[in-house]
Amino acid sequence: MDSRLEHDSSAPLPMSLEEMSARGWDQVDVVFVTGDAYVDHPSFAAALLGRWLEANGFRVAIISQPDWKSCDAWKQFGKPRLCFAVSAGNMDSLVNHYTANRKVRNVDAYTPGGKIGKRPDRATSVYCQRAREAFPGVPVLCGGVEASLRRLAHYDYWSDKVRRSVLLDSKADLLLFGMGELSLLEVVKRLDAGTPVDEIHDVPGTAYRLGASQIPDAVPENAVWLPSTEEVQDDKAKFAEMTKKIYEQLNPFSAQPLWQACGTEGVVLNPPQRPLTTEEIDAVYALPFTRKEHPSYGEEKVPGLQIVQDSVQAVRGCGGSCAFCAIAAHEGKLIQSRSQTSVLNEVTAIASDVHFTGTITDIGGPTANMYGTGCTNPEAMEACQRTSCLYPEICPNFNTDHSQYLALLRAAREVPNVKNVFIASGIRTDLARKSPEFIQELVTYHTGGHLKVAPEHSVNSVLKCMRKSPIEDFDAFTNEFEEAAEKAEKDVYTVPYFIASHPGCDLEAMIDLAVYLHANGYRPQQVQDFLPTPFSIATCMYYTGLDPMTGEPVYVARGERERRLQRAMLQYYKPENYFAVREVLEKFDRLDLIGNADECLIPENAPEIPDRKPERASAERGGYRQRSREDNAEREQRAFQRVRQNDRWGRRDDRNDEGDRSRRFDRPDRSSHYHNRFQRENNNRYGGRDNDRPGGNNDRYDRRAPRENRENPNFGEPREDRPYRDRGFRRDDNFRRDNNFRRDDNFRRDDRRGGGFRDRNNDRYHQGGGERSFPPRGNFRDSWKKDDAPRSNWNPNRSVNTWTPAEDQPQIPPQETPTEHAGEHTGERRDFRRDDRRGGFRGPREDRGGFQRGGFRRDGDRGGFRRDDRRDGGGGFRRDDRSGGFRSGGFRGPRNDGGSRPSRPYDSRGGYRGPGNNNGFRRDAPFRQEGDEGGGTRPPRRFDRKERFEEE
């Protein structure tokens, strides 16, 4: 096979047929299909495993982020000689796509330019099925993080149900879990030797399917039987039992095979692959990586590479095994360290690059200061079933000596062209405290301004669920770190990470955490909501409400509202979180934390903030926001401004005489306050529950709901303390709005009443009546009707819902007054003008023969139209408030015949007929004064017919 490697090994693996032909290949042995961009760097699995197979004599090609809507991309290299190797990428595809709040992410760090949408949901299953479609009969192997963590029945947070093994969904022949160098190489060698894939069932670190005809004869005799998929779907206690058995069989030296049935078939999970030796892991990282994106991407950069471009992974595995972390389930808890020579060779190669800036950004791994540590008792290690080497206390067999790591860091600082060597991958504080010398050198040489640490919480009951050390250990480390910084005269600090909504954490625990942060001066800039990733212990707690290791019940924060409140408590100091924090403190009677004292979390009155449009993430520079710290502060204040305008605690504009715009909460009469709030919301066109977004805008569910759900009082999960508001009567067939009527017509449509005249008190577009009847801002509900209508800047895909303030809206200029209006104040007006203040028509003041404000005057002697408020007689005009418009009976004439005249029907040609003639008043016709030839001046865009209005 060595003859196959007669090419430039420094060139990246081929991604096209032309690159394959340039190497002189007529066929490839293994085709890697990955959901990530192809970056020839050891931090990217496809590059590392592809180079590993290439070094062992196999021809490898890469298909990166193919179009999964057809199988054409899988055919570009022809039929592979051995197999397809499929992976979703460095992340689970659903974690890559969605946040903990199930919202679409704006950036994909493993795609050129940070663009999203380059891989499907559940990419492993989709890619495997396309490989089957392209070349039936070719073995398909699936692996990577997604396949590894979904290798058995698992809880899927995004569909909120227990799903079966991804091996059954993808129809792959073999599933490889964990770090796959040894397992993949063994399987490929057997395929190359001619062994059928359905006979490769004994390779550690793999899983395979068994059909109905093979059960139970093919199940290994020593296998541990797990509850079936159907059992764990129906019974949460069975799910917890399954999780415990899985974690008891993670030690590669003592684990037994696992068997789980699913319907008529099942999955056999072999024991995990053994860890790499120092020589083997050195050989893997000595491969000739270019450490760059594939040239086919041109100038587009992959954001994920920029983070690890000048970093070195020196260690694998993590003995901490935190409950929320899946590293132990993927890499294992056994520590695998590279030799010092191997690490220094990689540092030297990085420093020799012409683009090297002089800083090694990281020398570490999952936990940096675990380099050179591990179990010192081989016999105990092979039989150990502890899930964590560090919890509840550090195992006495675990080596905590930092001397090897210190020697490595000192040697790296001496490499030519290296100015700085930092640690960016985080450290374990409980281990660091075992070596004061390490803390001193960490502060002096290896902290680039701030150091990542992860206490995660301050309440010990929550830390117990997390499998983390008590908060006192973190406090002690912080004190030692500050003393070392003072001694070294360095301006460095720690950046603690905390998690909200973790199982076991309730709002009272978050209050305690907020008090702890305030007392110690911490203001977390990044908030991590707990994300239930498959296969972790914390995910089992989240789904079942049970601790799988002890069987004890665990509190779980369910629902978006409580998760939002916990997140707000973690960043209590932000203005946009003020009202959420206040709500929590009042709910738990912690009013002592509200005020202007030093120990208070929030002030009595909400702060005032400016308004400014937020900036969005840009994919042109890798999807990262290019903002300063001051811009971020202003962005937080703008979000708070939106909360203040849509506040559920008080009126929209609550200002005192001194001009203080802050919100007041010390109202003596809260009952009347809530009554006014409900009354205000009933008149408000929009409303509903608070939005789940941190900005707190009202959720406009009437905009984005399906038509059949818009009048469902349960739609959008409205808050219990807010009533559902009637949206008004819909138009019926008798009162259809003429298409010629626009927003700027005399006849204004009332959206809430479906076709009538707008009442002044509810007219959002009226500014005092008369000539000032034009709206100060546009209406967005009917903006599609006019090309020049003002547009909203609302976008449902944005992370923060923003609306343009009223002063920024396009202003509609008032129209010129017609010439007939010139004498309206002298009694000489010649038309009938609408009075916006009352919804009727105003006639000449001299003869009192027309319409007066509020409708028709009760003056039958003056020849005018009468209004009949009694609804049961009289020769007037009736208004039906229930439909918001005119009744179907039409207009009634004056009582000039001694009684009431019969109602005139509606004429489709002439509109509503007046008394005694067929030239009646039409809704869409202009009013003309008798004797006028020209009929007066036509108001612009108001009427389109020329029918004459004659008075009797």
Side-chain angles (χ1 to χ4, degrees):
M1 291 185 183
D2 295 337
S3 60
R4 300 177 184 174
L5 300 178
E6 295 177 358
H7 62 272
D8 184 8
S9 60
S10 63
L13 298 174
M15 282 186 60
S16 64
L17 189 62
E18 292 75 11
E19 294 178 71
M20 184 186 76
S21 300
R23 291 177 174 242
W25 297 349
D26 56 355
Q27 188 181 24
V28 295
D29 299 325
V30 179
V31 174
F32 277 85
V33 183
T34 176
D36 291 340
Y38 173 39
V39 179
D40 196 26
H41 190 281
S43 296
F44 290 74
L48 186 142
L49 295 176
R51 290 288 191 179
W52 176 246
L53 292 182
E54 181 189 41
N56 283 272
F58 296 98
R59 298 177 178 178
V60 179
I62 304 289
I63 299 177
S64 172
Q65 297 182 326
D67 181 6
W68 66 92
K69 298 178 180 62
S70 69
C71 64
D72 295 341
W74 278 256
K75 299 179 180 179
Q76 60 179 312
F77 296 108
K79 183 177 180 179
R81 188 175 68 89
L82 298 179
C83 64
F84 282 102
V86 173
S87 171
N90 281 7
M91 296 176 63
D92 184 282
S93 59
L94 294 178
V95 176
N96 180 275
H97 285 172
Y98 307 103
T99 67
N101 294 323
R102 298 184 175 92
K103 300 183 184 299
V104 178
R105 298 186 188 272
N106 296 326
V107 174
D108 185 347
Y110 296 99
T111 299
K115 300 175 183 177
I116 62 175
K118 289 295 186 178
R119 78 189 82 200
D121 289 344
R122 313 186 194 284
T124 299
S125 298
V126 176
Y127 289 165
C128 289
Q129 292 166 7
R130 285 289 180 259
R132 288 282 193 200
E133 181 182 353
F135 296 104
V138 174
V140 177
L141 316 179
C142 66
V145 173
E146 180 172 286
S148 181
L149 301 184
R150 297 175 183 265
R151 54 188 184 258
L152 293 170
H154 57 280
Y155 172 71
D156 184 79
Y157 172 68
W158 295 270
S159 59
D160 193 23
K161 66 179 182 181
V162 176
R163 301 179 66 93
R164 63 180 186 171
S165 169
V166 70
L167 180 63
L168 302 178
D169 289 337
S170 65
K171 307 299 182 183
D173 295 289
L174 284 177
L175 183 150
L176 284 70
F177 62 91
M179 308 302 285
E181 292 92 352
L182 298 181
S183 301
L184 179 61
L185 181 59
E186 178 66 20
V187 170
V188 171
K189 285 183 176 180
R190 293 195 185 186
L191 291 175
D192 187 46
T195 304
V197 67
D198 55 1
E199 296 181 6
I200 306 176
H201 290 168
D202 58 345
V203 177
T206 63
Y208 57 92
R209 293 179 296 154
L210 291 180
S213 60
Q214 300 172 296
I215 302 173
D217 298 336
V219 178
E221 296 181 358
N222 61 339
V224 176
W225 286 59
L226 301 176
S228 67
T229 302
E230 292 76 16
E231 289 178 324
V232 299
Q233 288 174 341
D234 298 336
D235 189 352
K236 293 184 177 180
K238 291 289 186 181
F239 190 95
E241 176 187 348
M242 175 195 70
T243 302
K244 181 180 180 181
K245 289 183 177 180
I246 291 174
Y247 272 81
E248 289 176 347
Q249 304 297 327
L250 289 182
N251 189 332
F253 299 106
S254 60
Q256 302 295 323
L258 299 175
W259 158 254
Q260 185 175 52
C262 180
T264 60
E265 53 186 349
V267 175
V268 175
L269 190 72
N270 288 320
Q273 184 61 263
R274 65 172 176 82
L276 296 175
T277 64
T278 302
E279 292 74 16
E280 289 171 336
I281 195 172
D282 286 350
V284 170
Y285 285 93
L287 297 172
F289 299 100
T290 64
R291 307 182 71 88
K292 298 178 181 178
E293 300 95 340
H294 191 272
S296 61
Y297 298 136
E299 297 299 326
E300 287 189 307
K301 302 299 181 182
V302 178
L305 175 62
Q306 300 177 36
I307 300 174
V308 298
Q309 178 75 59
D310 296 330
S311 67
V312 178
Q313 183 171 359
V315 61
R316 282 187 183 179
C318 181
S321 303
C322 301
F324 52 83
C325 182
I327 290 179
H330 183 66
E331 295 188 13
K333 71 172 185 176
L334 301 180
I335 307 301
Q336 308 161 60
S337 300
R338 296 169 58 182
S339 67
Q340 178 175 321
T341 303
S342 174
V343 174
L344 294 178
N345 288 340
E346 186 172 353
V347 172
T348 303
I350 296 173
S352 62
D353 189 271
V354 295
H355 301 290
F356 180 61
T357 61
T359 299
I360 300 295
T361 56
D362 185 29
I363 296 181
T367 302
N369 61 330
M370 284 190 181
Y371 177 87
T373 63
C375 188
T376 59
N377 189 340
E379 295 180 0
M381 179 181 64
E382 294 179 0
C384 180
Q385 290 188 344
R386 286 185 54 165
T387 57
S388 174
C389 300
L390 307 180
Y391 182 84
E393 61 275 337
I394 299 177
C395 177
N397 294 322
F398 193 84
N399 176 26
T400 60
D401 185 17
H402 285 64
S403 58
Q404 293 188 41
Y405 192 39
L406 285 172
L408 175 62
L409 295 175
R410 291 165 183 166
R413 296 200 302 264
E414 302 299 327
V415 173
N417 299 330
V418 174
K419 300 176 183 178
N420 301 299
V421 177
F422 294 143
I423 297 175
S425 53
I427 64 171
R428 286 283 301 209
T429 58
D430 47 359
L431 286 180
R433 291 187 60 214
K434 299 294 183 180
S435 177
E437 183 182 8
F438 170 73
I439 295 179
Q440 187 62 53
E441 291 205 17
L442 175 68
V443 171
T444 306
Y445 301 108
H446 307 297
T447 302
H450 60 271
L451 177 71
K452 294 180 182 178
V453 287
E456 309 298 0
H457 214 280
S458 64
V459 180
N460 288 332
S461 61
V462 182
L463 292 171
K464 180 180 178 182
C465 295
M466 294 179 173
R467 306 293 194 267
K468 295 285 292 185
S469 58
I471 192 62
E472 292 77 13
D473 181 85
F474 171 72
D475 293 336
F477 170 80
T478 302
N479 294 333
E480 295 177 13
F481 185 88
E482 292 175 351
E483 292 176 0
E486 184 178 358
K487 182 179 179 180
E489 298 181 352
K490 290 286 187 176
D491 185 16
V492 295
Y493 52 92
T494 58
V495 177
Y497 286 175
F498 296 93
I499 297 179
S501 306
H502 191 278
C505 179
D506 55 11
L507 287 174
E508 288 187 280
M510 292 305 296
I511 294 176
D512 293 339
L513 175 57
V515 172
Y516 171 84
L517 296 175
H518 182 67
N520 290 274
Y522 291 119
R523 290 195 169 190
Q525 296 297 320
Q526 295 179 346
V527 176
Q528 182 178 358
D529 274 345
F530 169 68
L531 179 59
T533 53
F535 216 78
S536 69
I537 295 176
T539 300
C540 176
M541 294 181 186
Y542 177 86
Y543 172 66
T544 64
L546 300 172
D547 187 331
M549 301 304 171
T550 63
E552 298 176 355
V554 176
Y555 175 82
V556 177
R558 302 188 186 277
E560 297 300 327
R561 176 171 175 78
E562 182 172 355
R563 291 171 66 90
R564 179 175 60 85
L565 292 176
Q566 289 203 23
R567 183 171 61 248
M569 291 302 302
L570 195 54
Q571 293 181 316
Y572 65 91
Y573 61 91
K574 289 195 172 184
E576 64 266 28
N577 294 334
Y578 178 86
F579 298 108
V581 173
R582 182 165 192 129
E583 178 182 349
V584 175
L585 296 179
E586 290 183 345
K587 179 179 180 180
F588 290 95
D589 197 22
R590 293 301 303 271
L591 301 182
D592 58 304
L593 300 177
I594 303 175
N596 298 322
D598 293 340
E599 64 273 10
C600 295
L601 295 179
I602 56 176
E604 181 65 28
N605 296 326
E608 182 182 359
I609 55 175
D611 187 20
R612 183 179 174 185
K613 294 182 180 180
E615 299 179 23
R616 301 285 295 173
S618 173
E620 296 178 357
R621 297 187 177 182
Y624 295 100
R625 292 175 172 86
Q626 305 295 326
R627 288 195 301 262
S628 65
R629 184 171 300 179
E630 291 76 16
D631 291 337
N632 287 331
E634 292 180 4
R635 181 172 176 267
E636 296 168 3
Q637 291 179 345
R638 291 193 300 272
F640 170 74
Q641 180 70 25
R642 294 191 294 274
V643 177
R644 183 172 178 270
Q645 293 176 352
N646 300 278
D647 172 31
R648 68 181 292 260
W649 297 94
R651 296 175 296 175
R652 179 173 294 275
D653 191 7
D654 184 19
R655 306 175 184 177
N656 56 25
D657 296 336
E658 291 75 19
D660 182 14
R661 296 170 180 256
S662 60
R663 191 71 60 190
R664 291 185 175 183
F665 292 85
D666 52 349
R667 298 187 178 91
D669 187 4
R670 296 302 294 271
S671 61
S672 62
H673 157 63
Y674 282 106
H675 173 75
N676 294 335
R677 174 165 60 86
F678 292 149
Q679 188 176 25
R680 181 182 70 253
E681 290 177 351
N682 286 333
N683 293 331
N684 189 5
R685 178 177 175 185
Y686 300 109
R689 64 183 178 88
D690 285 348
N691 197 328
D692 290 331
R693 297 188 177 103
N697 287 348
N698 286 340
D699 196 0
R700 299 169 173 85
Y701 58 86
D702 57 337
R703 280 179 173 272
R704 61 187 187 186
R707 174 67 62 180
E708 61 273 14
N709 291 336
R710 290 189 179 179
E711 298 188 6
N712 181 4
N714 296 324
F715 176 76
E717 301 178 1
R719 283 207 315 269
E720 296 178 358
D721 61 342
R722 288 200 175 194
Y724 176 76
R725 293 175 300 286
D726 189 3
R727 296 295 175 185
F729 294 89
R730 294 186 177 181
R731 305 184 187 90
D732 54 22
D733 294 333
N734 293 330
F735 300 97
R736 293 186 180 273
R737 181 173 59 82
D738 193 293
N739 290 333
N740 293 324
F741 283 73
R742 304 280 181 162
R743 283 284 172 200
D744 54 351
D745 293 337
N746 281 343
F747 297 95
R748 300 205 174 193
R749 180 173 63 83
D750 189 335
D751 292 330
R752 296 173 300 153
R753 290 296 181 263
F757 292 150
R758 183 182 303 282
D759 184 76
R760 178 178 180 244
N761 294 332
N762 294 325
D763 190 352
R764 297 195 309 117
Y765 308 97
H766 180 69
Q767 293 289 328
E771 298 298 326
R772 298 182 297 125
S773 61
F774 294 95
R777 58 178 293 175
N779 180 278
F780 300 106
R781 181 183 290 273
D782 295 332
S783 60
W784 56 274
K785 298 175 183 176
K786 296 171 59 178
D787 294 337
D788 58 346
R791 303 295 182 185
S792 169
N793 65 350
W794 180 78
N795 187 337
N797 294 327
R798 289 186 179 178
S799 59
V800 178
N801 187 7
T802 60
W803 287 87
T804 304
E807 59 270 15
D808 295 339
Q809 290 289 345
Q811 301 296 319
I812 300 179
Q815 300 179 11
E816 295 182 0
T817 305
T819 56
E820 287 80 2
H821 293 187
E824 60 177 332
H825 298 298
T826 61
E828 298 177 1
R829 56 181 296 181
R830 301 174 57 82
D831 69 337
F832 293 88
R833 189 172 61 85
R834 176 189 176 218
D835 185 357
D836 288 325
R837 293 176 295 175
R838 289 296 182 266
F841 297 92
R842 180 183 298 171
R845 296 185 179 181
E846 295 295 331
D847 57 8
R848 300 178 181 270
F851 301 108
Q852 275 289 354
R853 51 185 296 178
F856 304 96
R857 290 182 56 88
R858 298 189 182 93
D859 192 356
D861 297 334
R862 301 301 178 91
F865 290 85
R866 293 189 58 184
R867 176 178 179 180
D868 189 357
D869 292 333
R870 296 172 300 171
R871 299 174 179 262
D872 58 352
F877 167 74
R878 291 190 179 183
R879 182 176 182 269
D880 189 347
D881 290 331
R882 292 173 300 170
S883 63
F886 295 146
R887 295 189 61 183
S888 59
F891 293 94
R892 297 187 178 183
R895 194 180 294 180
N896 54 8
D897 56 353
S900 63
R901 296 177 59 87
S903 300
R904 298 293 182 181
Y906 177 80
D907 184 87
S908 61
R909 181 182 61 84
Y912 290 94
R913 298 180 183 176
N917 61 67
N918 292 330
N919 250 351
F921 169 75
R922 290 197 57 180
R923 182 179 293 197
D924 58 350
F927 298 102
R928 298 185 180 181
Q929 193 74 7
E930 185 174 1
D932 288 346
E933 296 298 332
T937 301
R938 181 192 299 265
R941 298 185 64 189
R942 294 186 179 182
F943 309 97
D944 55 0
R945 297 289 181 93
K946 295 183 179 180
E947 295 294 339
R948 191 179 182 86
F949 179 85
E950 298 180 357
E951 296 183 354
E952 293 184 353

